[in-house]
């Protein structure tokens, strides 16, 4: 993949343009929609924000004022009326720049991916981008930062924002930070993908749904469709979901199936405003290689410790050096207790070595470079409930 200088965004080759959708590509969605009586809303056209403002009649008002002044002073020429008439139709007020209207065919928009923890948001983001930009794990709270993934398909650029799973059970400083991240994302986007597991909807899902803005179009993504053995069982569930909110679209899919991902592009495309792209055509993420390195290490940490290690562990990059095609990285795994430190290091340091080895191999593939990785483990008691520590570790 292509690389930029340190700290810059990571990019790669442009994705292959999807072929025309085959008639059977939307079979699952069409069958479900037909049985449930779901009707899609009319697709939006151009972004209303780009519409030109109505013409103003400021010129006439100015002329009337000047006429009054002329009557009083007696020395203002009647030509003022003629000049002021020329101002009719000017928009934006006196001295305002002309309104720029985008007339191209490109589309671009921000799309938030939200849902409770462990519904497959990061897996979906990686599938949509075509490369791993967000880490995945069965452990809740794998995603902790606002991760942006970019994919350009034909004239449309999709800018996806993966968010942490919204926290409803714990009130630590870390979780409050994660929730602020989610709420901040929702205020900026053009479209929201609300991800749930197909056929399931619990209290945590309901709490997330209640926080979604009413002024944004929301697409219901029924993920993990491959885990549903009897599709007919989805019909009562779908009807109940339609009663909870008037979703703009309902899309059953498996994030691991490329045909489902390509179908989702076509469904989302009309909701993107017509405007210039935000990123280059081959961009994949706005995150730096340094950030991705810390995330890859954290992913291997969670995968190799399983349920033994609480989610309150993080990774800090202490040193980052580039020497041609070599990356020298020193990183620290931060935990809250001594027992967790021993758990990560393992007998004879074997577990820590394996974490480092697997992270290094994936980083070499991601960066197309040789990686030398050093890992350390340190205890910082109470870091997850300290706003100061969170800021020092890079949490927004």
């Amino acid at each position: 993949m292509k690389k930029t200088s340190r700290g810059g965004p990571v990019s790669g080759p442009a994705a292959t343009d999807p072929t025309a959708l085959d008639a059977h590509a939307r079979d699952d969605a069409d069958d479900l929609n037909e049985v449930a009586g779901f009707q899609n809303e009319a697709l939006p056209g151009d972004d209303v924000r780009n519409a030109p403002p109505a013409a103003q009649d400021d010129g006439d008002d100015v002329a009337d004022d000047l006429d009054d002044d002329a009557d009083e002073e007696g020395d203002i020429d009647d030509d003022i009326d003629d000049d002021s008439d020329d101002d009719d139709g000017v928009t934006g007020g006196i001295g305002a720049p002309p309104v720029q209207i985008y007339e191209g065919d490109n589309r671009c928009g921000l799309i938030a991916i939200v849902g409770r923890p462990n519904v497959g948001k990061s897996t979906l983001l990686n599938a949509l981008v075509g490369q791993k930009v967000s880490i995945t794990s069965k452990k809740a709270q794998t995603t902790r930062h606002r991760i942006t993934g970019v994919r350009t398909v034909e004239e449309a650029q999709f800018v996806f924002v993966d968010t942490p799973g919204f926290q409803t059970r714990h009130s630590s400083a870390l979780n409050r930070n994660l929730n602020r991240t989610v709420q901040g994302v929702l205020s900026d986007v053009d479209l929201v993908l609300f991800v749930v597991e197909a056929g399931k909807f619990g209290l945590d899902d309901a709490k997330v749904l209640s926080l979604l803005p009413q002024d944004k179009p929301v697409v219901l993504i029924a993920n993990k469709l491959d885990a549903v053995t009897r599709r007919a069982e989805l019909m009562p569930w779908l009807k109940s979901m339609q009663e909870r909110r008037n979703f703009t679209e309902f899309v059953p899919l498996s994030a691991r199936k490329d045909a489902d991902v390509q179908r989702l592009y076509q469904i989302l495309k009309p909701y993107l405003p017509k405007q210039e792209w935000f990123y280059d055509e081959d961009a994949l993420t706005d995150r730096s290689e340094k950030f991705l390195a810390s995330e890859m290490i954290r992913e291997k940490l969670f995968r190799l410790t399983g349920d033994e290690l609480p989610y309150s562990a993080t990774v800090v990059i202490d040193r980052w050096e580039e020497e041609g095609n070599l990356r020298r990285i020193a990183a620290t795994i931060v935990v809250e207790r001594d027992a967790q430190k021993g758990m990560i290091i393992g007998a004879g340091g074997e577990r820590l070595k394996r974490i480092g080895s697997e992270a290094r191999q994936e980083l070499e593939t991601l960066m197309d470079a040789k990686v030398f990785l050093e890992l350390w483990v340190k205890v910082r008691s109470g870091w997850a409930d300290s706003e100061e520590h969170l800021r020092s570790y890079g949490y927004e």
Side-chain angles (χ1 to χ4, degrees):
M1 64 180 288
K2 297 181 182 178
K3 303 174 292 302
T4 62
S5 60
R6 67 174 66 87
V10 179
S11 60
T16 303
D17 291 342
T19 58
L21 294 178
D22 196 69
H24 64 73
R26 296 188 66 164
D27 282 350
D28 289 335
D30 292 342
D31 291 345
L32 289 170
N33 290 343
E34 181 178 350
V35 174
F38 184 81
Q39 298 293 328
N40 288 335
E41 300 292 338
L43 297 179
D46 294 349
D47 187 358
V48 296
R49 294 173 298 180
N50 291 331
Q56 299 176 7
D57 294 328
D58 292 342
D60 289 336
D61 295 338
V62 173
D64 292 341
D65 292 340
L66 291 173
D67 287 341
D68 294 339
D69 292 340
D71 291 340
E72 294 176 4
E73 299 295 334
D75 57 357
I76 298 180
D77 194 272
D78 290 339
D79 289 342
I80 291 177
D81 291 337
D82 298 332
D83 293 338
S84 63
D85 289 341
D86 294 338
D87 291 335
D88 288 352
V90 175
T91 62
I94 298 175
V99 177
Q100 298 297 322
I101 303 173
Y102 178 69
E103 297 179 350
D105 294 326
N106 287 350
R107 291 180 179 271
C108 183
L110 293 172
I111 305 172
I113 304 176
V114 301
R116 65 170 171 80
N118 277 350
V119 291
K121 299 184 300 297
S122 296
T123 299
L124 178 60
L125 173 65
N126 292 334
L128 287 165
V129 173
Q131 179 172 308
K132 179 181 285 188
V133 294
S134 186
I135 65 175
T136 62
S137 170
K138 292 182 179 180
K139 185 182 292 292
Q141 288 322 302
T142 304
T143 302
R144 293 195 183 153
H145 299 268
R146 173 175 173 160
I147 311 293
T148 300
V150 183
R151 185 73 172 266
T152 303
V153 180
E154 298 175 338
E155 73 278 11
Q157 185 171 90
F158 303 82
V159 183
F160 298 100
V161 184
D162 184 22
T163 60
F166 205 95
Q167 289 303 291
T168 59
R169 299 182 181 180
H170 306 287
S171 59
S172 67
L174 175 60
N175 285 337
R176 291 193 297 271
N177 178 280
L178 301 183
N179 288 348
R180 285 197 300 270
T181 298
V182 178
Q183 292 170 327
V185 167
L186 292 176
S187 65
D188 298 334
V189 300
D190 301 291
L191 183 65
V192 178
L193 304 187
F194 176 50
V195 185
V196 298
E197 291 187 54
K200 299 180 180 180
F201 191 83
L203 180 59
D204 288 346
D205 296 299
K207 289 180 178 178
V208 176
L209 179 60
S210 69
L211 296 170
L212 300 185
Q214 295 298 318
D215 61 342
K216 307 280 185 181
V218 178
V219 175
L220 176 64
I221 303 293
N223 194 22
K224 304 183 182 180
L225 185 64
D226 50 334
V228 179
T229 56
R230 299 180 62 183
R231 301 295 170 84
E233 296 176 353
L234 285 179
M235 299 310 134
W237 175 80
L238 173 57
K239 291 180 180 179
S240 69
M241 292 303 297
Q242 290 176 231
E243 294 172 356
R244 296 179 186 277
R245 179 173 178 134
N246 183 23
F247 291 103
T248 304
E249 300 274 0
F250 164 68
V251 186
L253 57 74
S254 170
R256 301 184 185 279
K257 292 186 177 181
D258 185 65
D260 287 356
V261 173
Q262 300 301 326
R263 174 166 58 91
L264 184 58
Y265 286 136
Q266 301 304 317
I267 294 172
L268 302 182
K269 179 179 175 180
Y271 295 96
L272 302 183
K274 280 193 173 184
Q275 59 183 341
E276 293 289 358
W277 295 341
F278 297 160
Y279 300 95
D280 292 338
E281 184 175 359
D282 62 350
L284 295 178
T285 181
D286 64 345
R287 289 295 190 174
S288 67
E289 290 183 339
K290 182 176 179 180
F291 172 82
L292 293 176
S294 67
E295 290 291 277
M296 295 304 169
I297 296 169
R298 196 160 60 86
E299 178 187 63
K300 303 310 175 187
L301 170 66
F302 287 145
R303 285 184 179 274
L304 294 176
T305 56
D307 293 331
E308 298 178 64
L309 183 68
Y311 75 89
S312 55
T314 195
V315 175
V316 180
I317 302 298
D318 302 311
R319 188 177 74 252
W320 178 279
E321 299 175 355
E322 296 184 23
E323 301 174 7
N325 201 43
L326 173 66
R327 305 288 186 274
R328 294 184 180 275
I329 306 170
T332 298
I333 298 172
V334 180
V335 295
E336 291 192 301
R337 295 192 296 273
D338 288 327
Q340 296 168 356
K341 178 178 180 179
M343 185 188 310
I344 294 171
I345 294 174
E350 287 302 314
R351 179 174 282 174
L352 183 61
K353 289 179 183 178
R354 187 177 173 189
I355 293 171
S357 177
E358 293 194 9
R360 178 184 56 78
Q361 292 176 39
E362 186 151 348
L363 288 171
E364 288 183 338
T365 300
L366 176 70
M367 300 175 184
D368 192 22
K370 186 71 175 177
V371 174
F372 179 77
L373 177 62
E374 294 180 67
L375 287 182
W376 306 87
V377 184
K378 295 182 180 179
V379 178
R380 293 289 183 270
S381 180
W383 76 265
D385 204 27
S386 167
E387 295 285 356
E388 182 179 354
H389 277 109
L390 289 174
R391 286 192 295 272
S392 68
Y393 295 156
Y395 289 90
E396 300 172 356

